Amino acid sequence: MLVYVTVGSTGFDALVSAVCSEEFFRTLADRGFHRLIVQYGSSSEAFDLPKTVSGQYGVSVEGFSYTRMPQQYVEQADLIICHAGTGSILEALHAGKPAIVVPNHELMDSHQSEISLELAAAEYLLVSEPDQLARVVDSGKYMGLVPYAHADPRPIGEILDEESSRTNRDPEWKKAFVKYMNAELALTNERFPVMGLATVDLEGRPAVRMVSPRGFVGDGFLKVNSSDHGQWSSDVLTFCTHAKSNKVQELVNTNDIQAICWLPNIKVQIRCSGHAHLLFHPDNPNYTTLSLDMRHRVWPRDGTPEEEREAREEQKEIQRFGGSVEPLVNGAVEIDVGYIREQAYLHHSPVLQAWYSWPAPGKIRSADASLYPMEIPKIKDKEESEKYEANARRNYVLIFIDVNQVDIVDLNESTRRIHTRRSDTSWSVANVNP
């Protein structure tokens, strides 16, 4: 029996390390597996197998970084373990193979994790964290999964959208944002797409750079507080930056921004306009309390049937008095912005965390190589390691984007919709010429 493990086009050190552990090999042997194939992407260093383990448990091992013919391994596999990339998930489901999905929380996208959880709730697959993987395999629950319904011709994204829209209070633009991003990821199997962030420099000229969103507050690892178990959602988009970067000064001076992305495979452009609100570390000299009151931007993720009926009645009333309005239902919740900022920092890779300890971006590079550690945990001197860790946290800035307009162009459908915030709780939508 064969287990096929795939991390996709990037890397996933935690997953690769988990399947190389003695505990995992012991579990494979106990469950009757005798062959393991690992596609480890850029995580070659994590593919570090103790020489005696394979022979000790009678499980042969093959590993490679990439393959042009993954389908052959999918077809041969008796169990597939994969990251939460939509393409990898669909490949396993369409092949009729039991799958265990392991979300990579270090990546930018949280929506892939949400899709895997939706599918797990429907018992199409199992979801596991890396450190729980051996126990999930040992449970044998993968043998009782529901086969994916091939009879439904729609893409799985549409099926999930239909199921979640019954209680999903997110504004329509965010639903579209998530849908289009997932569609692009399914075709590329890449990370969360980058966006161009446009600001105004200190001389009044336009400035633009590519940035990677961290996601929406309330989604994925960006929980609103330590007791949040995924029950809150928002339309607040987040980015991060170095406290000494030029864009910090630009945003402090003028916080108007536009963020835009082009999704080439599905021919969709998304442009978000709004205001940036910066949260520095408390030890940073620029620290102030967050200027955005997010209590008016957060609401319960799902509603009761009674609440949903009330929301529909409210929508009818608003439409009766003249407009296409998308009502939201906000809830009272304690927002811990320091906790959100800390989670955003912790879910970066060690290499990116180390970058925040470096000197100011854009300045002349020093000849002192010690100023540029690649990974702080690998610094052997404890005092030095703590110094760089403190610098990294002090230089880490989380940017909250209070979106007030979203312009979505879908060239496949020849549509363009402009969503404009009317108040804390409602948006208007205009269909305009592309």
Side-chain angles (χ1 to χ4, degrees):
M1 292 173 62
L2 167 66
V3 175
Y4 175 50
V5 180
T6 175
V7 305
S9 60
T10 56
F12 194 172
D13 290 354
L15 173 55
V16 175
S17 295
V19 301
C20 289
S21 68
E22 184 170 354
E23 179 188 15
F24 188 75
F25 272 81
R26 186 187 306 115
T27 299
L28 292 185
D30 290 345
R31 302 300 306 182
F33 292 101
H34 55 79
R35 190 178 174 202
L36 173 67
I37 297 177
V38 182
Q39 181 267 313
Y40 50 75
S42 60
S43 295
S44 56
E45 291 186 8
F47 189 66
D48 183 18
L49 194 68
K51 295 181 180 179
T52 59
V53 170
S54 178
Q56 179 181 349
Y57 293 101
V59 179
S60 65
V61 186
E62 301 171 44
F64 49 82
S65 56
Y66 303 101
T67 176
R68 293 185 179 275
M69 295 182 292
Q71 190 60 34
Q72 63 175 318
Y73 301 107
V74 171
E75 292 173 353
Q76 295 173 23
D78 298 285
L79 172 64
I80 294 173
I81 299 172
C82 65
H83 67 129
T86 312
S88 295
I89 292 174
L90 292 180
E91 199 167 36
L93 293 180
H94 285 304
K97 303 293 183 176
I100 301 175
V101 175
V102 184
N104 186 350
H105 300 300
E106 291 186 355
L107 298 185
M108 305 299 180
D109 183 29
S110 66
H111 307 302
Q112 291 183 338
S113 299
E114 292 168 7
I115 285 179
S116 61
L117 290 173
E118 289 277 0
L119 291 169
E123 299 184 352
Y124 288 132
L125 50 78
L126 299 175
V127 174
S128 173
E129 295 298 318
D131 59 356
Q132 299 291 320
L133 186 56
R135 273 168 276 185
V136 172
V137 173
D138 193 42
S139 72
K141 292 181 179 179
Y142 57 86
M143 294 187 293
L145 293 169
V146 176
Y148 178 64
H150 296 281
D152 195 328
R154 296 175 300 161
I156 199 163
E158 288 185 16
I159 298 172
L160 292 177
D161 285 344
E162 179 184 283
E163 292 176 354
S164 63
S165 65
R166 295 168 186 160
T167 57
N168 189 341
R169 292 166 166 169
D170 288 345
E172 291 304 317
W173 75 261
K174 182 184 172 185
K175 295 176 186 176
F177 186 102
V178 172
K179 180 183 75 171
Y180 287 132
M181 292 295 184
N182 284 335
E184 181 74 8
L185 288 165
L187 296 171
T188 63
N189 212 19
E190 291 291 343
R191 298 185 180 194
F192 197 95
V194 296
M195 302 184 76
L197 179 66
T199 59
V200 180
D201 72 14
L202 299 182
E203 297 181 4
R205 299 174 303 189
V208 66
R209 76 284 293 160
M210 305 308 293
V211 295
S212 294
R214 298 302 284 152
F216 291 94
V217 170
D219 292 355
F221 54 80
L222 293 176
K223 301 294 189 290
V224 301
N225 56 46
S226 58
S227 60
D228 178 9
H229 301 294
Q231 66 266 40
W232 300 103
S233 184
S234 83
D235 55 14
V236 179
L237 191 59
T238 61
F239 298 94
C240 55
T241 190
H242 195 294
K244 297 177 181 177
S245 67
N246 289 337
K247 62 177 167 287
V248 165
Q249 293 304 314
E250 293 167 1
L251 292 172
V252 168
N253 187 56
T254 304
N255 73 342
D256 293 309
I257 66 97
Q258 279 198 344
I260 187 168
C261 67
W262 166 246
L263 307 176
N265 291 284
I266 61 171
K267 296 181 173 60
V268 169
Q269 174 185 281
I270 303 174
R271 178 167 53 199
C272 302
S273 304
H275 298 99
H277 300 263
L278 280 61
L279 183 65
F280 294 87
H281 190 274
D283 292 340
N284 190 291
N286 294 314
Y287 175 77
T288 58
T289 56
L290 189 69
S291 55
L292 172 64
D293 184 357
M294 282 194 294
R295 289 175 298 177
H296 303 292
R297 298 288 186 265
V298 173
W299 50 86
R301 186 174 299 278
D302 299 317
T304 65
E306 183 178 350
E307 289 172 332
E308 294 307 314
R309 282 194 297 273
E310 291 177 358
R312 285 194 293 271
E313 289 302 317
E314 180 184 356
Q315 185 174 30
K316 289 178 182 177
E317 283 296 303
I318 293 171
Q319 290 174 336
R320 187 163 67 90
F321 287 101
S324 173
V325 178
E326 307 157 9
L328 302 177
V329 184
N330 288 11
V333 58
E334 189 69 29
I335 308 291
D336 186 344
V337 292
Y339 179 81
I340 298 171
R341 182 192 168 283
E342 179 71 3
Q343 294 308 304
Y345 173 79
L346 292 175
H347 282 84
H348 283 298
S349 68
V351 173
L352 194 51
Q353 287 178 1
W355 176 77
Y356 286 100
S357 72
W358 290 14
K363 304 299 182 183
I364 300 298
R365 188 179 180 96
S366 171
D368 184 356
S370 69
L371 296 176
Y372 307 94
M374 296 307 297
E375 292 189 40
I376 294 174
K378 291 185 177 181
I379 299 175
K380 295 181 180 179
D381 185 283
K382 183 179 179 181
E383 186 175 337
E384 284 291 296
S385 177
E386 291 176 349
K387 181 186 74 174
Y388 283 110
E389 178 69 21
N391 283 340
R393 290 174 180 273
R394 189 162 45 246
N395 288 331
Y396 186 75
V397 180
L398 190 61
I399 304 172
F400 297 86
I401 306 298
D402 186 22
V403 179
N404 54 40
Q405 188 174 83
V406 182
D407 185 341
I408 302 177
V409 180
D410 185 334
L411 294 183
N412 282 319
E413 297 182 1
S414 297
T415 62
R416 182 181 179 188
R417 294 183 174 88
I418 298 178
H419 305 249
T420 304
R421 186 186 294 279
R422 293 178 52 149
S423 68
D424 287 337
T425 58
S426 65
W427 293 75
S428 64
V429 184
N431 293 314
V432 302
N433 296 326

